[in-house]
Structure formats: structure tokens, C-alpha cells
Amino acid sequence: MSTIVGTSNRIIEINLSTSEIDEFEVTENDRRQYLGGKGLGLKLLYERIQQGAEPLGEENWLAFMMGVLMGTGAPCSGRFSVVTKSPLTGIMLSASCGGPFGMAYKTAGYDGLLITGKATSPVVVVVDEDGARISNGSHLWGLNTQDTQQRVNPEGKAGVLAIGPAGENGVRFANVASGHRFVGRGGVGAVMGAKNLKAIVARGKHCKIVPADPKRFVKAKKRASAYIARNPTTADDYRHFGTASHVKWCNAAGILPVRNFSRGSHPQADQVSGETMRQRYNSRPRTCKPCSIMCGHKGTLPDGTTCQVPEYESLGLLGPNLGIFEPDAIARLNERCGLLGLDTISAGAVLAWCMEAGEKGLIQTELKFGSVDGLHQALDDMAHRNGWGDQMADGTRCLAERYGGSDFAIHVKGLEVPAYDPRGSWGQGLAYAVANRGACHLSAGMFALEVTFGLLDPYTPRGKARFVRFFENLYAAVNSLVTCQFTAFAYTLEPPVVKYTPAWLLRWIMRYLPWLAIGLTDVSVYSALWRSVTGEKLNQWQLLSAGARIHVLERLMNTGDGISRKDDTLPQRMLTQARGDDPEGRTVPLQSMLDDYYRLRGYDLLGIPTKKILSRLGIEPKWERHTDSRIAHFKLTRPKGKRLKRLYLSVLFWFVGRAVEAGPRVDRDVRQICAALPEGLTFSLGVAPDGPAMIVGKDRRGKIRYWGGDTTDRLIDVKLTIKNIEAAMLLFTFREATTTAVARNRLIVDGDIGIACSVVRILDVVETFLLPKALARLAVRRYPNWSPLRKYGGRILIYLRAVLGV
């Protein structure tokens, strides 16, 4: 057995059209910049795939990337990444998978596999220590995922990736099996099927992976294992009940999908909880190797059949989302999807859409909420594209485009929404909307912070953009190492700074000082593991920077296929319809969070990565970017230079903001207007797109407060936005009144018009105090006839309070 120190950096490249097989090595720079796994896969495909390539065409590529931790024995490192272009969404797709394939491939001596082209007939790719070869797979065509694995690996010593009938027939959400685990989302199975690639077999155990720095590795592994062993989620909930443990708290928080996301909770939910299924099926761990979390479980059905206990996502979409609360029925639907090679999330969402479309008379179907009748046949029809199943096989977006019902087609960018309703977790709503692959709970799992741990208020946009960006960067890095994302619960919450900070203080810091909370978050265990394996220096900030590079590269590739702000949205149901069981009628206030997110990410207002951020991350633009050139409301002009004007406006906004805070304490008119404003209201006046601003709010005691000029992490109820810096100079050199600026479309209002009018009245009164009469006549709509005492006495007090803050 040979020994590999760190990583082999060897990649096999196969063209199925020509049967050419090559091998190359990853450069040191690419490994350092993109880590491995997802990141390296994206980089290699960015260099190879043609802009506009058809996902099911010969020109599409598949990248199977093992990552540097695979084979080292690092905790939860039995995962690999897959990158391709999705036939369901038409944009880039990355997915992570466990099972035996990754370990077998890595210990055959390779770090990755790239495949393009299309074989003339079904084939199997076999990889061992001597390289890769292409063999006939015609005899396997038509077999399900488990029978295929058994046929090509009868002794069970190899690692296999296999598609089922769904992949063969081009179902746009077909998955790929590795043992009892799946490359689940976005249609990787369909891409393999389109290439006539039935399976990939890896025969490993020829190489031993040795960390470059064994002492550092042992230390990092010990710390990582200790964190996992003492974290309640990883050491208790998942180990005993699997991810189905989410059912109870999702139901309690109102984010469990019920009847196609029309409700967020149900009194029968406990019947399908992880705790109930553990008792019912006597479940026990059956998970990836090596793993110390052990979230996967198998159990025994009442008829004696052994099956994989459904994961939370499968359970939610095939269960309550269909109005079904019978655990045996859900388990059998889950098993059927696995054999056919269907993604359970998308399959459940398609069935739910059909049920609701049938109720509303858009289609004819016998499928009904709460009934299991016809569901197995519907899944079979999907996988084989028989009858109506041929329509269902294209996903909810295509169904809605053909038959109507887009208002209840629950997807983002074509990818169906996982089992967390964002109306009860607004940060998760933003994460869904901006996720690169479409609706993805793994891009930035905000539901955990908002609901599971209660660290963030789920019903405010405050700070959400900053946390979404942070976790996108972190998870992009994690999926490039590659290791299980569930380790993040332990690795971020168990380090001393977080663990021993009082819960009330931790919540306060996260909610009101998110930048500080993120800055204090210790994720160094990830960088320590990577450094110990590769021998290359890497701290946690460099790791997060690599994560940002990976995420932005994926976004850039998507913009080449037309993705922009118009696509960063949520299903209409989430934006306009409250959950049926929410008495407060809440929906997701997406747009304000989206603006903040783009600003933090370094995107323009259309959601396109700017040249500045690409240059900073070292990404070379390669594709022409196709975007919608229209922007809602008006065309924004980004100020360039004009430093003196920006400085002048910054100082003026600071002074006016403090004067507005002082106004109610000095003048009765301002006091009366402010008293009528709602408690907790926040309003802003600023220059688009990223110019100076001021924020003023009414606190819980009814006091008016100036909150500074950073709009990034504030919930702003009413926004007064000046179109550009020149328009702002007109207004604040007092050549134009505020009301005139509104009338001439130089200033727009986003929010309640009545409150905006009150804000303008406050500004008028304050400017009357601040300015000499000659200027004030130009700045305000109507100059008041005040007594000298009120005018001059008030002016002195306003100035004193504004300057001194008294």
C-alpha cells in the first residue's frame, strides 16, 4: 500500500464522446485559493464549461471532488462534492454526499474526476490504482439504484455512484446513490443519464492518506471531536433521533411545511417526529464513515422490512407538506424515491403542487392532500416519464409555467424549497432567495440561529444580511474541505468565547452588534484541520476569504446565464400570503434585506459581482454577463469621486440627524408629530446607491434617537432615498425644498406615505431652526410665522443639543 502525504492533487479527466482519458495535477495556487471539494470543482469547470452550455447536452461537465480531509480520519470527513450545471435550474449546481464512494475513490489515489461528452450507449466508469477505464453498462440500464450497486459491486468492497430510472429518463431532479446516501438536489442523476453514464465504480484501499503535520492534526482532531461530543445537537439530538428531531421545534415555531406551505404547524406533527420514529422503528445509527455525529438512522417497519429512517427534509416534504402524518407511509415513499433515484424534496413539492392545482381546477388529478392513494404510482410515473409523470418530471417551475399556479409553486430559481417556511424565519428567507443553486437550506442555515437556538429574532431583518454572508462563506469553505456541515453547530458554539458568554448577552450582541458577533466567532478548527493535512499555512480568516471567493465565483458563473436581482426572490406565497395559522399575518420583507446583502457582498444593485470585488478576490471575469438592465423605481447613478461632496453630505446628515433627535425636546410641533409616530419606527434619509445617510428611530420609551449613518444592519420602516449625489447637493445646499424634490422625482419614498409626510414635516421644522431665514425660505415648503423667542431660543437649544449631544 502506497502512502500519500496530504493530498495527491491528481485529477482524472474523461471525455465520454471520444473515450479519451487524461490525468493532470492541481496547481498549488488553485489548491490554496479554492481549497478542494466544491471550490476546486467550480474553478476547474469555470475553465472548461462553455457559457450557455445545455445542462443535458454533451458539453456539460461533471466534477466529483474528494477534498483534502477525505481519508485522513478527521471527524465527519466521509463526504465529497459534486459540481455541474443543473437541468432543473439551468445554473450551477453543487452538492455534497456521504456514502462509500468518496473514500474508495480517494484511497485509489485520486482527488477528483471530471467527465464530459456523451457515450453512444450506457457505460460504467471504473477507477482503481491503475487509472480509469470505460466499460459496457447496457445490462444495467433500467435497474434501480440499489440493484445497480449490487450488480457492479457484489462483494461490497468498492464505492459506487449509481443512477436509477429517474436519471436514465432525464427527470430534472434525479439524484445519484452512494450506498444509502444520495447526491440529492438539482438533477445530477439526469446529467449522468444524459451522458449514458449509469455508474462510477471506485476500487480503493490502495493508498493510505497521511497528514503532512501529524502532531498538529492529532491536536486539531482532538479539539474537533471534543466539540462534537459536548454539543447538544451533535452529541444528543442527531445521534439519538437523526435530523427528524427537527420536527418538534419546527412545528412549535410555525416553520413546518403543511399542505404545500399553506400552514406552518399541525397538531398531528408529533406522529412523525424523530422521537416517535425512534420508538416505533427501534432505530439505530447507519451513517457515513468516519462520523461521530451519526445523524443517519435505519429501523424496522411493522412488517419486518428494514429501511432508512427518513431525514427531516424527506419527512417534511413527503409527509406534512402532503397532509400525511402516517410514518410508515412516509418511510415507504422515501424508500421508493431512493430506489427510483428521485430527490425527495423536489418530488414532494411536485406532488403538493399537483394536489393544490387539482383543488383549484388547473389540472385533473386524483392526488389529494392527506391521502396516500396513487402516490407510489405517481412516483413511478415521474421516474419513467409515463403519462402525467412526464410533466411532473420537469419540476414545479415548469408545471406552473404550463398550467398556471405560479403563486403556489414553491421554488426559488427552479429549485424546490426545503422544509423550513421562511415566513417564520426571515433570515432563512433571505438565504433561500440569494442561494446560488436556488432554494437551499445548506447555503446559509439561518433557521438554526433564528429558531433552533433562538439567538436571533426570526421576525426582524436586522443583521440578517451580515449573518447570511458569513455563513455562505463558511459553508462554501466547509464544502470544499470537505466535511459535514453539521459540524458547524459544534465548531461555532462550543469554543469558549461563545460557550461561556451568558445567553442573554450573546443574543444581544448577535442582534444589535452582528459585526462584533461574527468577528468573535471561532471557526479555527476548520483551518487547523486543513493546515495540518496539507502542511500549508491557513488561518480562519484566510479560510473564510477562500469561502467568499468560491461563493462569488459561483454567483459570477450564474450571472453569465442571466441570473440577477429578478431571480433573487421567494415564492409569491411567502411574500404575499401569511401562513394560515399565523394570527399576525406575517410575510417575508425581502427587499430591504436584499439591498443590505448586495452591499455587503460587493454586488451592484442588480446583484452582479462588481469588478472591485472580483479583483479583490482574484477572480478573472471570463463570461459576458447577461442581466436585466431595468431597476425598480429609477435608474441609480453610482457616485465616482466627488469626495468633497460626499464629505459635506456626511457631515450634514450627521448634524441634521442629531438635530432631529433634539427637536422633540425643544419644540412642541415636532413633539406632537413625533408622538403620533408608531413606537419602534425607524426612518432614513440617504443618497443612492451607497452614499451618506442618516437613520432616526423612535425607541420603546417613545424617545426620538439618531442611529448614525450605517443602514446595513437596521430594520428601516420608511426610506427616503435621493436618486444621486447631485440631487442631494441641490437639496442640501438649500436650492430646492424636500417637497419639491419629491415632486420632481429626485427623492423617492419606500414605506408608508403618511409616515413619510410626517417625516418631511419634521425635517421642515428642524431646517427652519437650523437655517437663516433666507435659506430656510428656499428649503421648506412654507416658512412659519414664529415669535422671536421661539425661533431664536429654539435655535440655540437645537444647536447646543446637536453639537454637544445634551
Side-chain angles (χ1 to χ4, degrees):
M1 178 180 289
S2 61
T3 299
I4 295 175
V5 178
T7 180
S8 74
N9 286 327
R10 297 167 65 195
I11 309 292
I12 295 174
E13 186 171 346
I14 301 175
N15 187 324
L16 294 176
S17 297
T18 62
S19 298
E20 292 179 287
I21 302 175
D22 295 311
E23 184 181 317
F24 67 93
E25 288 195 10
V26 177
T27 67
E28 290 184 8
N29 184 63
D30 281 352
R31 174 67 74 187
R32 184 170 53 254
Q33 296 289 306
Y34 293 94
L35 303 179
K38 171 184 175 176
L40 190 55
L42 282 167
K43 175 62 162 57
L44 296 175
L45 262 58
Y46 186 52
E47 296 171 346
R48 288 163 172 78
I49 199 167
Q50 296 297 313
Q51 184 175 3
E54 287 295 325
L56 297 180
E58 290 185 40
E59 64 271 26
N60 195 10
W61 286 76
L62 282 158
F64 302 91
M65 308 302 295
M66 302 308 110
V68 301
L69 299 186
M70 177 72 74
T72 64
C76 307
S77 58
R79 302 188 70 82
F80 62 95
S81 288
V82 184
V83 181
T84 190
K85 197 170 183 182
S86 167
L88 185 62
T89 64
I91 54 179
M92 295 308 299
L93 168 69
S94 61
S96 172
C97 182
F101 175 79
M103 184 70 75
Y105 191 88
K106 185 70 177 280
T107 56
Y110 303 97
D111 276 1
L113 173 64
L114 304 182
I115 297 178
T116 190
K118 178 181 180 179
T120 55
S121 60
V123 297
V124 174
V125 168
V126 180
V127 179
D128 57 24
E129 59 182 318
D130 297 321
R133 64 183 182 275
I134 303 170
S135 62
N136 180 36
S138 298
H139 61 294
L140 304 171
W141 209 250
L143 296 181
N144 66 40
T145 57
Q146 296 305 312
D147 287 345
T148 300
Q149 293 185 78
Q150 177 63 31
R151 188 74 66 87
V152 299
N153 183 31
E155 297 179 355
K157 295 182 178 180
V160 181
L161 283 178
I163 63 172
E168 296 172 358
N169 293 300
V171 176
R172 294 181 183 271
F173 46 89
N175 62 23
V176 185
S178 171
H180 59 276
R181 314 297 288 186
F182 295 90
V183 184
R185 308 229 59 200
V188 176
V191 178
M192 285 182 60
K195 296 183 179 302
N196 276 327
L197 179 58
K198 178 64 177 177
I200 305 171
V201 181
R203 305 192 186 282
K205 299 184 180 179
H206 299 291
C207 300
K208 182 180 180 181
I209 314 299
V210 178
D213 189 339
K215 290 184 179 180
R216 188 184 294 271
F217 177 76
V218 169
K219 184 179 179 180
K221 180 180 177 180
K222 183 178 179 180
R223 178 158 62 111
S225 299
Y227 287 167
I228 291 171
R230 70 188 189 209
N231 181 263
T233 301
T234 56
D236 188 9
D237 292 349
Y238 285 172
R239 190 167 296 177
H240 293 110
F241 310 116
T243 58
S245 61
H246 291 196
V247 169
K248 282 192 172 182
W249 54 259
C250 283
N251 189 57
I255 65 172
L256 181 74
V258 178
R259 293 178 65 94
N260 200 28
F261 286 88
S262 61
R263 300 176 63 86
S265 62
H266 197 280
Q268 292 179 274
D270 187 57
Q271 295 175 201
V272 295
S273 68
E275 292 82 350
T276 297
M277 288 196 289
R278 176 179 171 83
Q279 184 176 12
R280 182 178 180 86
Y281 300 135
N282 190 28
S283 62
R284 52 202 181 278
R286 185 190 188 193
T287 189
C288 312
K289 297 179 181 180
C291 181
S292 49
I293 295 177
M294 297 184 288
C295 69
H297 292 74
K298 64 178 179 179
T300 305
L301 296 178
D303 63 4
T305 304
T306 299
C307 73
Q308 193 74 11
V309 176
E311 302 277 357
Y312 171 72
E313 306 299 334
S314 304
L315 191 153
L317 272 297
L318 293 173
N321 199 48
L322 303 181
I324 296 172
F325 297 89
E326 301 171 29
D328 295 356
I330 299 170
R332 291 190 174 95
L333 290 171
N334 181 62
E335 285 287 295
R336 191 63 188 159
C337 284
L339 292 173
L340 295 169
L342 291 168
D343 171 28
T344 53
I345 296 176
S346 289
V350 166
L351 293 173
W353 182 91
C354 290
M355 290 174 179
E356 186 162 351
E359 286 184 346
K360 295 181 176 178
L362 297 179
I363 64 171
Q364 294 293 321
T365 180
E366 295 181 357
L367 301 176
K368 298 184 182 303
F369 286 113
S371 173
V372 298
D373 294 344
L375 292 182
H376 282 271
Q377 185 61 54
L379 293 175
D380 285 351
D381 288 344
M382 274 189 220
H384 294 92
R385 285 191 174 269
N386 290 332
W388 175 249
D390 186 40
Q391 305 291 312
M392 292 192 289
D394 288 334
T396 53
R397 178 168 66 178
C398 287
L399 285 167
E401 288 172 351
R402 293 166 186 163
Y403 301 99
S406 60
D407 55 322
F408 57 87
I410 312 299
H411 71 86
V412 175
K413 300 181 179 77
L415 188 67
E416 284 75 19
V417 175
Y420 306 95
D421 192 319
R423 287 168 293 186
S425 177
W426 289 358
Q428 189 58 54
L430 175 63
Y432 281 155
V434 300
N436 283 333
R437 73 173 184 178
C440 177
H441 63 295
L442 297 174
S443 178
M446 293 294 291
F447 66 88
L449 294 179
E450 295 178 303
V451 177
T452 312
F453 305 120
L455 296 172
L456 292 175
D457 182 352
Y459 294 111
T460 176
R462 182 183 293 114
K464 300 304 170 60
R466 195 174 289 272
F467 279 107
V468 167
R469 182 187 64 161
F470 171 75
F471 280 104
E472 284 178 338
N473 293 347
L474 176 62
Y475 289 156
V478 168
N479 285 320
S480 299
L481 291 178
V482 179
T483 186
C484 176
Q485 283 188 219
F486 292 155
T487 59
F489 293 137
Y491 295 174
T492 59
L493 296 177
E494 293 304 315
V497 171
V498 173
K499 186 174 180 65
Y500 297 112
T501 298
W504 65 268
L505 179 58
L506 182 62
R507 284 193 294 269
W508 189 89
I509 293 173
M510 291 184 67
R511 293 178 185 186
Y512 298 103
L513 299 173
W515 56 270
L516 178 60
I518 290 169
L520 294 174
T521 301
D522 181 2
V523 295
S524 61
V525 67
Y526 289 117
S527 54
L529 286 168
W530 194 91
R531 179 178 180 179
S532 66
V533 172
T534 65
E536 295 186 36
K537 291 184 178 180
L538 184 83
N539 60 39
Q540 70 170 0
W541 307 115
Q542 291 169 319
L543 178 87
L544 291 169
S545 180
R549 182 178 300 109
I550 292 161
H551 185 87
V552 172
L553 173 62
E554 189 174 24
R555 176 70 178 195
L556 179 66
M557 295 172 77
N558 284 345
T559 61
D561 283 309
I563 292 297
S564 67
R565 187 186 188 108
K566 69 182 187 304
D567 305 289
D568 292 339
T569 187
L570 291 171
Q572 282 301 304
R573 175 156 285 174
M574 315 304 190
L575 297 174
T576 61
Q577 301 175 32
R579 292 160 292 172
D581 48 0
D582 181 11
E584 297 191 36
R586 290 166 289 205
T587 56
V588 183
L590 180 61
Q591 292 306 313
S592 62
M593 293 189 291
L594 200 57
D595 289 339
D596 293 342
Y597 173 82
Y598 286 165
R599 183 164 45 250
L600 287 167
R601 263 286 170 221
Y603 299 167
D604 65 21
L605 290 170
L606 287 172
I608 311 299
T610 62
K611 291 181 180 179
K612 181 178 179 181
I613 192 64
L614 295 178
S615 176
R616 192 174 80 191
L617 294 173
I619 300 172
E620 182 180 352
K622 175 186 173 188
W623 292 350
E624 179 184 352
R625 296 174 294 174
H626 299 298
T627 61
D628 185 349
S629 62
R630 296 167 297 174
I631 292 184
H633 304 306
F634 56 84
K635 183 177 180 180
L636 295 175
T637 302
R638 185 174 294 276
K640 296 180 180 179
K642 304 181 181 178
R643 294 181 181 178
L644 290 178
K645 292 180 179 179
R646 290 172 67 87
L647 178 61
Y648 169 77
L649 290 171
S650 296
V651 172
L652 201 63
F653 276 136
W654 172 83
F655 192 76
V656 171
R658 291 170 68 92
V660 169
E661 179 181 83
R665 307 178 190 180
V666 172
D667 185 75
R668 62 177 182 273
D669 286 355
V670 178
R671 190 159 48 248
Q672 288 176 357
I673 299 170
C674 290
L677 296 176
E679 183 180 304
L681 174 83
T682 302
F683 62 86
S684 68
L685 175 63
V687 183
D690 59 355
M694 70 175 200
I695 308 166
V696 177
K698 186 174 181 179
D699 66 18
R700 294 179 180 177
R701 294 179 297 173
K703 303 292 186 181
I704 297 297
R705 301 292 186 188
Y706 168 62
W707 298 119
D710 184 3
T711 61
T712 300
D713 295 318
R714 288 280 179 188
L715 168 60
I716 300 173
D717 301 289
V718 178
K719 290 184 177 182
L720 282 69
T721 305
I722 307 168
K723 290 176 66 171
N724 52 52
I725 203 163
E726 298 301 337
M729 289 301 295
L730 279 176
L731 192 61
F732 286 103
T733 52
F734 314 108
R735 289 175 285 168
E736 185 171 84
T738 305
T739 51
T740 305
V742 173
R744 293 178 177 174
N745 199 32
R746 284 195 251 272
L747 184 148
I748 64 162
V749 175
D750 182 9
D752 187 282
I753 297 299
I755 293 176
C757 290
S758 296
V759 170
V760 171
R761 287 171 59 201
I762 293 171
L763 291 173
D764 278 357
V765 175
V766 169
E767 286 180 342
T768 300
F769 278 119
L770 294 179
L771 301 175
K773 184 174 182 179
L775 289 179
R777 285 184 179 277
L778 298 174
V780 303
R781 183 179 180 185
R782 184 179 302 160
Y783 192 81
N785 185 20
W786 289 345
S787 67
L789 177 62
R790 180 182 180 187
K791 180 165 58 177
Y792 296 111
R795 179 172 296 171
I796 292 171
L797 291 175
I798 288 279
Y799 268 92
L800 283 173
R801 289 182 179 274
V803 173
L804 302 178
V806 295

